[in-house]
Amino acid sequence: MSTTTPSAASDGLLSATTLLRFATAGSVDDGKSTLVGRLLHDSKSVLADQLEAVEHASRSRGQEAPDLALLTDGLRAEREQGITIDVAYRYFATPRRRFILADTPGHVQYTRNMVTGASTAELTVILVDARNGVVEQTRRHAAIAALLRVPHAVLAVNKMDLVGYEERVFAAIAEEFTAYATELGVPEVTAIPISALAGDNVVEASANMDWYGGPTVLEHLETVPVSHDLTGCHARLPVQYVIRPQSAEHPDYRGYAGQIAAGTFRVGQRVTVLPSGRTSKVAGIDLLGKPVDIAWTPQSVTLLLEDDIDISRGDLIVPSDDAPATSQDVQATVCHVADEPLRVGHRVLLKHTTRTVKAIVKEIPSRLTLDDLSQHPDPGQLVANDIGRVVVRTAEPLAIDAYADSRRTGSFLLIDPADGATLAAGMAGTSFAAAAEDTAEDTAGADDDGWDF
């Protein structure tokens, strides 16, 4: 059997180029797509035919210089209107690091798209127009980044060329945003004055802002510490598939396959299957068709257990000495992403890892007011782009970690059972420091058509 350990595997990757996932956000016309285009262009990450297409499109619109925003605004409607509508993913690399970036829209009605772009990000770049300063959409994006526990935030004060590269303008915006982000609980903010159009402090340091001594945007992206080591977290394996070949070669084989969401599993380890609570020991671990003694996140593996117990898709295998509590009441903060409002009594499906169960929205205790981070009590409903607290009652017990402990097993989706549309993205147990403690009565919702729990 292989006896490679997580630490040994990590040591072998130290010499390899690391990966950073980051998202851009900001208000309309703050220059997000231009910044991304400048990053791609100045880091030599644009192919010749791509640049030629951008130059041709720019000339057809009467522009003398290439519009670098077109490198990310790929939809026809985006090019025609000069705005970003959908999340645009781009991949590029420098000698120091590989990047996956998500360029998200700035319009209020597309705020929900930022949740998609930032949900897997380790850093978010929030742009501000130096002429306008911090606006409501800036605060909204900072709140989402805080809710999603994005560990690093960059405040890019753009269009400094339009304010004469004045240090006092940058300093005032940076101070206001940092104070707001700190109140939200954002752990780290790095403020950088830039001009995406002119290229100041994007890839190369600006001669127009000699008063600034910090890194450029690319230098910060290349050097910000990124940790992908989830081996020390609570071990969790959501079961995706039960493997029973029932062949002559393997007549008694029964394996439970899935991707390890966090932590480490070892042969001989005592585990508990949730929500049933049945226990067993890990008899074997198959990785890429070969037996191993140990496996860790994010490997896709098959666990074999000593006891023949009932396990199916959606069950969660966890260490017996580190099992989360199961409950039918889920208290969480959600970002509502659907056009249809979310109301008390709304029948939904709740998807958590590989498990999907029926649920009812019991309460909507509050909605977040972004201006002062206060909680508006009992709003009655959440509409598109609202952020609020909810209490959901599920038909079956779920083992959900706090989102602060695990982004993978602390998140969930609320889905419309009628058409499968996503209604809201939820973060279990997540709230702002300014939010009051929410309490919920332990009562069940009931009706007469199979949603009685």
Side-chain angles (χ1 to χ4, degrees), residues 1-6 235 237 253 260 263-271 280-287 290-296 299 301-306 317 319:
M1 287 188 178
S2 170
T3 56
T4 305
T5 64
L237 176 69
Y253 188 97
I260 300 177
T264 303
F265 286 92
R266 294 177 173 84
V267 173
Q269 184 177 22
R270 178 158 289 279
V271 295
S280 184
K281 279 188 178 181
V282 178
I285 303 175
D286 287 346
L287 173 66
K290 297 181 179 180
V292 296
D293 290 325
I294 184 172
W296 56 88
Q299 292 175 332
V301 300
T302 301
L303 293 189
L304 291 81
L305 304 184
E306 288 185 355
I317 301 177

Side-chain angles (χ1 to χ4, degrees), residues 134-435:
V134 176
V135 297
E136 180 183 356
Q137 194 70 338
T138 310
R139 292 189 286 269
R140 184 183 297 273
H141 287 147
I144 293 174
L147 271 177
L148 293 173
R149 293 295 196 270
V150 181
H152 305 282
V154 172
L155 172 67
V157 182
N158 194 22
K159 304 187 181 181
M160 288 296 297
D161 53 315
L162 300 183
V163 295
Y165 297 104
E166 287 286 343
E167 180 180 6
R168 59 180 179 81
V169 175
F170 167 73
I173 294 173
E175 182 179 2
E176 179 182 358
F177 179 86
T178 301
Y180 182 83
T182 300
E183 191 173 355
L184 285 171
V186 176
E188 177 187 275
V189 177
T190 300
I192 304 175
I194 68 170
S195 171
L197 187 63
D200 292 292
N201 285 339
V202 178
V203 173
E204 302 292 339
S206 172
N208 297 307
M209 291 178 279
D210 53 5
W211 43 264
Y212 173 75
T216 66
V217 173
L218 184 60
E219 286 173 349
H220 183 70
L221 295 177
E222 287 181 325
T223 57
V224 64
V226 177
S227 174
H228 299 284
D229 184 12
L230 299 177
T231 58
C233 300
H234 307 289
R236 305 287 187 260
L237 176 69
V239 176
Q240 184 174 1
Y241 189 69
V242 179
I243 299 177
R244 291 197 65 193
Q246 296 180 317
S247 63
E249 184 180 359
H250 303 286
D252 301 319
Y253 188 97
R254 183 191 294 266
Y256 309 102
Q259 184 183 46
I260 300 177
T264 303
F265 286 92
R266 294 177 173 84
V267 173
Q269 184 177 22
R270 178 158 289 279
V271 295
T272 298
V273 181
L274 299 175
S276 69
R278 296 181 181 274
T279 62
S280 184
K281 279 188 178 181
V282 178
I285 303 175
D286 287 346
L287 173 66
L288 299 176
K290 297 181 179 180
V292 296
D293 290 325
I294 184 172
W296 56 88
T297 183
Q299 292 175 332
S300 295
V301 300
T302 301
L303 293 189
L304 291 81
L305 304 184
E306 288 185 355
D307 302 288
D308 188 9
I309 58 180
D310 182 18
I311 301 176
S312 59
R313 175 183 170 86
D315 287 345
L316 190 68
I317 301 177
V318 302
S320 296
D321 58 358
D322 187 24
T326 59
S327 175
Q328 288 182 257
D329 287 305
V330 179
Q331 301 186 41
T333 298
V334 301
C335 179
H336 192 59
V337 300
D339 293 327
E340 178 188 0
L342 186 71
R343 298 185 176 93
V344 174
H346 205 138
R347 302 168 183 173
V348 298
L349 297 177
L350 190 152
K351 178 175 174 55
H352 173 248
T353 62
T354 58
R355 188 177 187 85
T356 302
V357 299
K358 291 181 178 180
I360 291 178
V361 179
K362 285 177 55 181
E363 297 181 45
I364 304 179
S366 62
R367 183 184 70 240
L368 180 69
T369 303
L370 293 172
D371 287 336
D372 57 3
L373 299 180
S374 64
Q375 296 288 331
H376 177 74
D378 299 320
Q381 65 179 19
L382 297 178
V383 299
N385 301 310
D386 274 350
I387 298 171
R389 298 283 291 169
V390 300
V391 180
V392 180
R393 175 78 169 181
T394 60
E396 304 168 26
L398 290 177
I400 301 183
D401 290 300
Y403 186 81
D405 295 332
S406 173
R407 294 173 78 181
R408 291 279 305 275
T409 56
S411 59
F412 61 87
L413 295 177
L414 297 182
I415 299 171
D416 189 335
D419 58 10
T422 299
L423 300 174
M427 288 71 71
T430 301
S431 62
F432 295 107

